[in-house]
Amino acid sequence: MPPLPLQGLSAIVTGAGRGLGRAEALELARLGAAVVVNDYGQPGRDGRGEASAGPAEEVAAEIRAAGGTALAHTGDVSDFDQARTLVESAVAAFGTLDILVNNAGILRDRMVFSMTEDEWDSVLRVHLKGHFNTTRFAAAHWRERSKRAGEPVFGRIVNTSSEAFLAGSAGQPNYAAAKGGIVGLTTSTALALGKYGVTTNAICPRARTRMTEDVFAGVEQPSGTGLDPLAPEHVAPLVGYLASPAAAHVNGQLLVVHGGMVAVVERPRVAARFDSKQDTFTYDELEAVLGPYYADRPVGETFAAAEVLGLRRG
């Protein structure tokens, strides 16, 4: 039997006690990786409630029952020191860290004119700072290993963005901003770590989880034995591929994934250019060129690619 794609590698998956993170942790284990299942274990999707080791322990036990290797970690990735401990625990348990999947997140939805400071800060802290915290310590680990070895090492980061960033989400200014920030973190990290042998990519998954139960409340699940098009299991294989040696040439990319579909998102391109006929634009000249251009475009139009691919959330 040929070796599994991730045999001998170790991984961290954050937010892995439920939903997408759970499916991703199970998939990495199925592909041969030893997995640290991280989940703070709070019952509310808004990040409220008493933390619990239960969700992480249950998924780790599920992996071990299937013949894999896993341990649970219940630290809060939005805490800098706890993120450090998470990475250190993986290295201590498995000798090294090879794969980091950042998935942990919360929701505190509100229209921008009603949102509180805490609702903004808490979502940015868990999503964006949480992604940074784990990335920072994993990156330092890989850089040190590479310098010690005198050559590139194996490292993979898979970050979790969202279509809320791509196509907009009126009631989620905090979430959309955090997910947009994650894309910026991804592309910057990809450039910084590529020379060390580390790739960094981001996915925009669409899946039915407790985080999206309101969004997909009107989308019925198929009857019978067919897999729900919105099942997290549609997302996990892409994470497994991006975490593997086969994806060494994929770096700094953003991919949308759901229901048996993967779409590669192109970086923004210039749609039109206007040059001043003098040293700098005047108000009247800008009105003369930009006024007609935008007059022919739908109000609030966002990324055309999102519309063409049918990626706008329901």
Side-chain angles (χ1 to χ4, degrees):
M1 178 182 296
L4 296 170
L6 304 183
Q7 194 71 47
L9 301 177
S10 65
I12 290 172
V13 183
T14 71
R18 305 176 179 93
L20 275 171
R22 172 184 174 274
E24 291 162 355
L26 293 174
E27 177 69 4
L28 295 185
R30 188 187 70 81
L31 295 175
V35 182
V36 178
V37 178
N38 165 263
D39 200 288
Y40 198 37
Q42 291 174 305
R45 65 176 184 170
D46 59 0
R48 295 186 174 95
E50 187 174 350
S52 168
E57 293 283 5
E58 289 170 9
V59 175
E62 188 174 356
I63 290 173
R64 291 192 294 266
T69 301
L71 60 89
H73 184 277
T74 56
D76 178 3
V77 295
S78 71
D79 182 283
F80 197 67
D81 289 333
Q82 292 186 49
R84 183 205 313 267
T85 301
L86 171 58
V87 172
E88 289 175 348
S89 68
V91 175
F94 305 127
T96 185
L97 172 65
D98 304 297
I99 300 160
L100 170 63
V101 179
N102 285 310
N103 174 73
I106 63 171
L107 289 179
R108 294 192 184 177
D109 294 352
R110 191 89 63 185
M111 297 298 287
V112 68
F113 42 76
S114 303
M115 181 162 288
T116 67
E117 182 180 16
D118 180 66
E119 287 167 341
W120 174 271
D121 289 347
S122 61
V123 169
L124 270 289
R125 184 180 68 252
V126 176
H127 286 275
L128 185 52
K129 187 184 178 188
H131 272 59
F132 160 73
N133 286 346
T134 54
T135 296
R136 185 259 184 251
F137 293 110
H141 168 71
W142 287 318
R143 178 174 178 267
E144 181 182 346
R145 281 177 51 199
S146 178
K147 291 177 69 174
R148 191 167 58 243
E151 61 185 8
V153 297
F154 182 92
R156 298 286 184 268
I157 300 174
V158 182
N159 290 330
T160 306
S161 184
S162 171
E163 294 173 74
F165 149 72
L166 273 176
S169 184
Q172 297 181 307
N174 49 3
Y175 182 76
K179 292 305 190 182
I182 286 168
V183 174
L185 174 64
T186 298
T187 54
S188 176
T189 304
L191 289 173
L193 299 187
K195 65 182 179 181
Y196 301 117
V198 180
T199 67
T200 310
N201 296 288
I203 62 171
C204 291
R206 187 189 298 184
R208 194 192 305 274
T209 68
R210 67 175 185 151
M211 290 273 286
T212 60
E213 58 188 9
D214 296 338
V215 175
F216 299 124
V219 181
E220 295 184 3
Q221 298 189 41
S223 57
T225 59
L227 183 63
D228 181 359
L230 294 172
E233 287 73 17
H234 287 296
V235 176
L238 176 61
V239 173
Y241 169 73
L242 292 174
S244 75
H249 56 294
V250 185
N251 195 27
Q253 299 298 300
L254 177 65
L255 302 101
V256 176
V257 54
H258 63 85
M261 183 215 73
V262 174
V264 178
V265 179
E266 202 171 30
R267 296 196 180 195
R269 294 183 297 169
V270 175
R273 173 176 166 168
F274 305 98
D275 295 300
S276 175
K277 296 178 181 178
Q278 50 215 19
D279 288 341
T280 188
F281 274 106
T282 65
Y283 174 91
D284 290 338
E285 190 179 11
L286 286 170
E287 171 59 23
V289 294
L290 293 179
Y293 176 75
Y294 282 107
D296 295 332
R297 300 171 72 85
V299 175
E301 183 180 43
T302 57
F303 291 100
E307 298 293 345
V308 171
L309 292 169
L311 302 180
R312 184 176 292 280
R313 302 202 318 171

